[in-house]
Amino acid sequence: MGKPKIFVTHVYLGKFLERLKEKYEVVVWKDKNITREDLLTGVKGSVGIISLLTEKIDGEVMDSAGSQLRVISNYAVGYDNVEVEAATKRGISVTNTPGVLTESVAEEVIAFVLVLFRRIAEGDRFVREGKYKGWEPDLLLGTGIKDKTMGIVGLGRIGRWTARMARALGMKVIYFNRHRDEEFEEEYGVTYHTFDQLLENAEVVSLSVPLTDETRHLIGERELKLMKPSAILINTSRGPIVDQEILIKALKEKWIAGAGLDVFEDESQVPEDLRALPNTVLTPHTASATIETRIAMARIVVDNVTDAIEGRQPLCLVNPDVWKEKID
Ligand code: GLV
Ligand code: GLV
């Protein structure tokens, strides 16, 4: 019998997977942006799939792989691209990469605050376009950051690290989360608010919740209208958490002051309308894109895939029900 097959959907990941090759036949897709058709064919016969957040891994993909499929190891902390229920039903483990991108994503949130409030991207464009001709006292006046209020929606790992960095900048920090964490509040001097109170009081609203049915379009017209006209919205989570069309309207009509967006509703198509707005800073889903994080993510992805195949419960399992049944 040959070695069991692990299918890897993106050429970039190939270089991190040496340690899998001893025991497994590692088939790495030769390119980036695998098509649905190539994905359905590529996974055939595999016991493990290493996937990216850009690929929809649903029941059809699982069935195309075959009943020997044990694990879908997603190279991301978010796993809204995987139909977890379909995997659980088939006894397939789904895993992600939490913990190792906490700081990098939170750093990007703080970067958005600095760049937007201090108008750094606008200033950069101003100089490059040859418009700068000498110092003026009222040129590109921004907003100071100390004593402003950071509102964090979702106090997971990323939300917590963001809170700590914002405190270090001298900001007040308020948060909304399903569960209060009074110990964290006390230790870091942050305050719990209801969702609406947070929107009404924050100068920065930063989203650090996963995309679920509950959080889809969490930020729409009502929420943007509750925010202060001086406030900025930061989204480093998933695009569909914000109703993008309404956000564009809100930015055009100045319901809010600006937005820092690392994610978009359709990432293959960032609307011209949004790109044309001066009060936005837009990045191409790179909040977790540091060398340190990418390497650490690869290590976790490999651990997850081998643990699941070799009969150990993976540390970063998102559907523990699969293992409960095995243990019962
Ligand atoms: C990036 O968006 C991730 O979920 O890891
Ligand atoms: C993700 O890692 C989070 O818990 O925020």
Side-chain angles (χ1 to χ4, degrees), residues 127-267:
V127 176
R128 282 173 202 283
E129 286 165 10
K131 293 181 181 158
Y132 181 52
K133 299 291 178 223
W135 190 82
E136 288 174 56
D138 57 351
L139 181 61
L140 285 171
L141 295 185
T143 305
I145 288 155
K146 182 166 177 290
D147 296 328
K148 296 298 185 305
T149 300
M150 164 71 91
I152 294 174
V153 180
L155 197 72
R157 297 177 192 82
I158 293 167
R160 281 165 206 267
W161 195 257
T162 305
R164 293 172 64 178
M165 286 200 289
R167 291 291 291 145
L169 293 176
M171 299 183 80
K172 291 184 201 133
V173 176
I174 61 180
Y175 77 98
F176 169 72
N177 197 51
R178 269 185 306 190
H179 309 289
R180 272 188 75 160
D181 184 340
E182 288 172 29
E183 232 173 87
F184 187 81
E185 289 172 28
E186 213 164 290
E187 186 169 357
Y188 293 101
V190 312
T191 313
Y192 175 83
H193 276 50
T194 64
F195 184 47
D196 285 4
Q197 277 174 344
L198 179 142
L199 295 170
E200 283 165 355
N201 286 293
E203 271 94 25
V204 180
V205 173
S206 175
L207 306 173
S208 46
V209 289
L211 176 62
T212 62
D213 288 342
E214 254 175 277
T215 62
R216 190 174 298 277
H217 284 192
L218 181 69
I219 302 290
E221 177 164 353
R222 189 190 77 88
E223 292 72 25
L224 289 162
K225 286 196 162 149
L226 281 178
M227 286 173 64
K228 293 186 185 188
S230 58
I232 59 171
L233 178 72
I234 295 177
N235 188 6
T236 55
S237 297
R238 286 290 182 270
I241 294 170
V242 177
D243 183 334
Q244 189 171 276
E245 224 178 279
I246 301 285
L247 174 64
I248 293 170
K249 183 169 150 86
L251 288 164
K252 277 188 186 160
E253 297 179 3
K254 308 250 163 57
W255 308 353
I256 65 171
L261 304 174
D262 186 52
V263 287
F264 306 91
E265 280 214 82
D266 173 358
E267 299 206 334

Side-chain angles (χ1 to χ4, degrees), residues 69-86:
L69 181 65
R70 297 271 54 86
V71 55
I72 296 156
S73 180
N74 207 43
Y75 187 79
V77 69
Y79 49 86
D80 49 280
N81 59 306
V82 182
E83 274 185 11
V84 177
E85 239 173 80

Side-chain angles (χ1 to χ4, degrees), residues 53 75-78 97 101 237-238 285 288 297:
L53 62 92
Y75 187 79
V77 69
T97 65
L101 37 68
S237 297
R238 286 290 182 270
H285 204 146
S288 69
M297 287 168 73

